Amino acid sequence: MKKLIYAAVFTFVLASNAPATVAGGAMQNANISHLIHSGAHPNKARFQGATHHFEVHVQGKALSVLTINLPEDIKMRGGIEVTNQSGQKIESQVSVNNRKVTVVFSQPVSPDTTISIDLRGIYTPGYSRNWMYAIAGKMVGINAEIPLGTVLIQTY
């Protein structure tokens, strides 16, 4: 019976620490760039020309290039706007090749900056769906493209 009580207490202690670890944001304390937010405005599936957006928190090394892989069935007709956490536009060159969008920043985005990327004029087939965009970046001093994650945007 004692072993059962000890096992229950041990399990309770471990379980009570898990939410704190997740809520504490292991990625926020990491020294790497990561995705922090995404959404669609408006998020109605039948609305054509919506804005899909996401945010990247730049940490560690400065970010020089951002690549976005567009999902199938998505058409982007309005271009891309990149701003910092203060709402100031960040100068960049955007190119689209097939389903891959490349954003090259005029000046590398410095660490401890949160950038917001707005994909404007998004046209979809018009039905509810979860759209997944694969995001990667190139950091100053690193030649390889580093995956930052996948952005999930829901439309209803």
Side-chain angles (χ1 to χ4, degrees):
M1 184 69 168
K2 257 186 174 176
K3 287 183 180 180
L4 181 62
I5 292 172
Y6 286 131
V9 170
F10 182 71
T11 303
F12 177 73
V13 169
L14 285 177
S16 65
N17 284 332
T21 303
V22 172
M27 288 303 292
Q28 291 176 359
N29 297 329
N31 201 19
I32 56 173
S33 296
H34 57 275
L35 304 169
I36 57 174
H37 170 76
S38 65
H41 296 289
N43 63 356
K44 305 289 184 224
R46 292 183 185 219
F47 183 85
Q48 298 300 310
T51 297
H52 289 188
H53 71 93
F54 61 92
E55 292 180 353
V56 177
H57 186 196
V58 179
Q59 287 187 284
K61 294 187 174 281
L63 179 67
S64 59
V65 177
L66 190 70
T67 58
I68 306 161
N69 289 317
L70 299 175
E72 291 294 323
D73 298 332
I74 288 269
K75 292 182 178 82
M76 184 180 65
R77 296 192 176 137
I80 295 179
E81 183 176 297
V82 182
T83 56
N84 64 15
Q85 65 264 24
S86 301
Q88 298 170 325
K89 187 175 178 181
I90 295 177
E91 293 299 320
S92 58
Q93 296 292 326
V94 177
S95 63
V96 181
N97 185 7
N98 253 345
R99 309 226 49 82
K100 186 174 182 176
V101 177
T102 304
V103 180
V104 179
F105 300 107
S106 301
Q107 296 291 320
V109 179
S110 61
D112 295 324
T113 302
T114 300
I115 58 173
S116 180
I117 293 84
D118 290 340
L119 308 169
R120 300 186 183 275
I122 298 295
Y123 288 80
T124 67
Y127 50 84
S128 297
R129 185 167 170 190
N130 294 328
W131 302 101
M132 296 193 314
Y133 296 81
I135 311 299
K138 284 189 179 177
M139 311 308 171
V140 173
I142 300 175
N143 292 332
E145 196 171 79
I146 310 293
L148 299 178
T150 301
V151 172
L152 175 68
I153 297 184
Q154 281 185 300
T155 55
Y156 303 96

